Amino acid sequence: MRQDGDLISRLSEQGYRLTPQRMLVLSAIANSDHHISAEEIYAQVVAKYPYVNISTVYRTLDLLKRLDLVTETDLGGGRVRYHPVDKGHHHHLVCQECGAIIDLDESVLSSLQSHLLREYKFSADLRHLAIFGRCTNCNQ
Amino acid sequence: MRQDGDLISRLSEQGYRLTPQRMLVLSAIANSDHHISAEEIYAQVVAKYPYVNISTVYRTLDLLKRLDLVTETDLGGGRVRYHPVDKGHHHHLVCQECGAIIDLDESVLSSLQSHLLREYKFSADLRHLAIFGRCTNCNQ
DNA sequence: AAAACTTATGCAAGCATTTGCAATTAAAAC
DNA sequence: GTTTTAATTGCAAATGCTTGCATAAGTTTT
Ligand SMILES: [Zn+2]
Ligand SMILES: [Zn+2]
Ligand SMILES: [Zn+2]
Ligand SMILES: [Zn+2]
């Protein structure tokens, strides 16, 4: 289990207030090793501090995205999932049929990244992508 | 302006009913050359047939996706957009800062596609993708 | 330490999309 | 051509997420 200290210090360095709500959201993200959803974060936060509103959770997530501290990825299942950037970059293949998720090293997309930068001068945000499709089993 | 005949015949070939609602949704998609949203489709449909519900539009879009006749792509702006598959494959680079959209030939992702198939036996659905990031102007 | 200003939160309403269910419509069986 | 069965729709409610606005909490200025 990791500390959430680095996330928290990054926040205060940038001049944002360290409210109890924000600390709890940060904690929930930093201490989760899978890809956590807003509702899971909210449940953890509310357990310790009952008067938090889910919109505060979403606003904190928004802030963390802007500061490049967490990524937001649609892995299917109707809700978006969050992951701390400093826990390492990778991607996922998501089977639309059975829901299976295959993990991918970040290097798989690095040649695409540099191609887009070279040919289109476009700096693509490919930090934590989900690519949908069909796995072997489900592809007939 | 294209005919919607091919979309319609594909539907009936597969044993689905050609209800007025479906015909109007199909028409709206086939006759739009940009990437049309559910609400734009709904507006066009309602103009000709006032008693249609937006959930029917969404259900028809769902059907068309399952039959591989339209793609659904998030190009930003808070609503998803639809495009007929038979109007040609391509992709987009979407600037998160200014909203600019750069068009991409489908070939840009074909080596990724074959890499994923070869190495992971995963058949990725890369028919109409939006890649987010920053354009030259907005990248400092 | 008040006053003035800024930031962050809670609440309620809103938005895009989905879902459950009962009513309608069409196709199939008799 | 009725009855039976299946597909499709409309409606209302639900879901995940966002936004506007007034209150609250924290900072800065005086
Ligand atoms: Zn991941
Ligand atoms: Zn699968
Ligand atoms: Zn397109
Ligand atoms: Zn831009």
Side-chain angles (χ1 to χ4, degrees):
Chain A
M1 186 177 104
R2 303 179 74 268
Q3 301 312 87
D4 45 7
D6 45 344
L7 283 191
I8 288 178
S9 61
R10 290 275 277 286
L11 250 195
S12 69
E13 274 163 26
Q14 310 234 10
Y16 293 94
R17 292 191 199 156
L18 294 176
T19 63
Q21 291 92 330
R22 282 181 178 165
M23 305 270 270
L24 288 166
V25 171
L26 281 164
S27 231
I29 297 173
N31 294 331
S32 134
D33 26 331
H34 69 299
H35 301 80
I36 197 169
S37 71
E39 212 152 316
E40 288 166 348
I41 294 169
Y42 177 65
Q44 285 191 43
V45 169
V46 150
K48 300 204 173 173
Y49 195 95
Y51 301 107
V52 192
N53 195 272
I54 190 134
S55 64
T56 300
V57 172
Y58 280 109
R59 278 191 274 235
T60 302
L61 288 170
D62 229 60
L63 177 61
L64 298 174
K65 283 186 275 167
R66 284 202 308 274
L67 297 178
D68 256 7
L69 300 177
V70 305
T71 55
E72 179 189 76
T73 307
D74 176 14
L75 291 166
R79 69 200 57 193
V80 147
R81 296 190 165 269
Y82 300 89
H83 186 254
V85 166
D86 65 358
K87 280 196 180 172
H89 294 180
H90 62 274
H91 310 287
H92 301 280
L93 302 176
V94 182
C95 180
Q96 274 159 329
E97 196 84 20
C98 69
I101 296 185
I102 300 165
D103 292 356
L104 233 58
D105 193 79
E106 70 170 319
S107 63
V108 172
L109 295 182
S110 51
S111 84
L112 173 63
Q113 166 111 15
S114 53
H115 179 77
L116 295 175
L117 197 58
R118 198 177 343 108
E119 298 293 320
Y120 300 88
K121 293 180 178 10
F122 186 85
S123 164
D125 174 13
L126 301 176
R127 281 170 307 166
H128 189 215
L129 229 66
I131 297 172
F132 291 88
R134 260 153 240 280
C135 73
T136 333
N137 290 347
C138 298
N139 209 36
Q140 304 171 34
Chain B
M1 186 175 104
R2 303 180 72 267
Q3 301 312 88
D4 44 8
D6 44 345
L7 283 192
I8 287 178
S9 62
R10 290 274 277 288
L11 250 196
S12 68
E13 274 163 27
Q14 310 234 11
Y16 291 94
R17 291 190 200 157
L18 294 176
T19 64
Q21 292 93 330
R22 283 182 177 164
M23 304 270 270
L24 287 166
V25 171
L26 281 163
S27 230
I29 297 172
N31 294 331
S32 134
D33 25 331
H34 71 297
H35 301 80
I36 197 169
S37 72
E39 210 152 317
E40 287 167 347
I41 295 170
Y42 177 64
Q44 285 191 44
V45 170
V46 151
K48 298 204 174 170
Y49 196 94
Y51 300 106
V52 192
N53 195 273
I54 190 135
S55 64
T56 300
V57 171
Y58 279 109
R59 278 192 273 238
T60 302
L61 288 169
D62 228 60
L63 177 62
L64 298 175
K65 281 187 275 168
R66 285 201 309 276
L67 297 178
D68 257 7
L69 299 177
V70 305
T71 55
E72 179 188 75
T73 308
D74 176 11
L75 291 165
R79 70 200 54 192
V80 146
R81 296 192 165 267
Y82 300 89
H83 187 254
V85 166
D86 65 358
K87 280 196 182 175
H89 294 181
H90 62 274
H91 310 287
H92 302 279
L93 302 175
V94 181
C95 180
Q96 273 159 330
E97 196 83 23
C98 68
I101 296 185
I102 300 166
D103 293 356
L104 232 59
D105 194 78
E106 69 171 321
S107 63
V108 172
L109 295 183
S110 52
S111 84
L112 173 63
Q113 166 111 18
S114 52
H115 179 77
L116 295 175
L117 197 58
R118 199 176 342 106
E119 298 294 319
Y120 300 89
K121 294 183 177 10
F122 186 86
S123 165
D125 174 14
L126 301 177
R127 280 171 307 165
H128 191 215
L129 229 64
I131 297 173
F132 290 88
R134 259 154 239 282
C135 72
T136 332
N137 289 347
C138 298
N139 209 37
Q140 308 171 29

